[in-house]
Amino acid sequence: MDLALIEKAANAIADKHRLSIIMEVVKKGKLICGDVCEFTCLSQPTVSHHVKILVDSGVLHSSKNGRIVELTLNKEMMKQLSMFFLQLS
Amino acid sequence: MDLALIEKAANAIADKHRLSIIMEVVKKGKLICGDVCEFTCLSQPTVSHHVKILVDSGVLHSSKNGRIVELTLNKEMMKQLSMFFLQLS
DNA sequence: TCCATTAATTTAAACATTTCAATGTATTAT
DNA sequence: ATAATACATTGAAATGTTTAAATTAATGGA
């Protein structure tokens, strides 16, 4: 297991707002960036910043559909994280 | 599952040095703070700072034995993290 | 084309984290 | 007692993160 990957994913998760974005994606199945602005009450640039960290780390998956960016959970990453911590437990 | 707990643990893990401390604890079973200074090449106060974050977050367990602090992995926390990510995958 | 919409980027500020030297505290050994 | 050891705390500098206003880029519709 690549520790740099774990570190980056952990960093993405280690933020109140980003964790709430993750949980909302889990709840809704998918989100668009505009939705994130609404329920977090953060500005659009701030949301863009957080979404970038989540996507770059591999925690979320993004797909552009016209001018709309759709965010979904990267379940493969969740599986890898689960396995990593399972091995340590 | 308490998200604040996840966030705090993720934060503890989201650092190169702290992650390497965790892996060394896993490898050796237990460590004392002095060992951490050696293998990380960090100063004693810096190690004390990182160890505090790891212990406060519940990732590591510490027990004082005279003037020596022994660090071990909190496997219960690893189990909880594993379960959290399993549920998301 | 021109305008509205959605998101990314730039910039700068406020804030938080990391780091170590110096110092303090607690414990052990002489 | 005194000195040495192991770790914690304080304080300050360097660095990194978060945030939003302003701007830019890209897409879709009238």
Side-chain angles (χ1 to χ4, degrees), chain B residues 23-75:
Chain B
M23 296 317 285
E24 191 75 5
V25 168
V26 169
K27 188 176 158 193
K28 297 274 169 66
K30 62 185 166 188
L31 281 185
I32 68 171
C33 291
D35 295 340
V36 178
C37 290
E38 280 204 359
F39 83 84
T40 59
C41 298
L42 291 173
S43 71
Q44 180 270 317
T46 299
V47 166
S48 188
H49 164 75
H50 285 307
V51 165
K52 185 168 161 46
I53 289 171
L54 285 164
V55 171
D56 284 356
S57 68
V59 168
L60 294 189
H61 198 76
S62 83
S63 63
K64 205 160 195 169
N65 195 341
R67 43 190 180 181
I68 289 174
V69 170
E70 254 187 24
L71 302 168
T72 51
L73 189 68
N74 183 353
K75 292 196 176 185

Side-chain angles (χ1 to χ4, degrees), chain A residues 15 17-18 43 45-46 49-50 53 66-67:
Chain A
D15 175 271
H17 295 306
R18 291 196 294 266
S43 70
T46 299
H49 164 75
H50 285 307
I53 289 171
R67 38 187 185 186

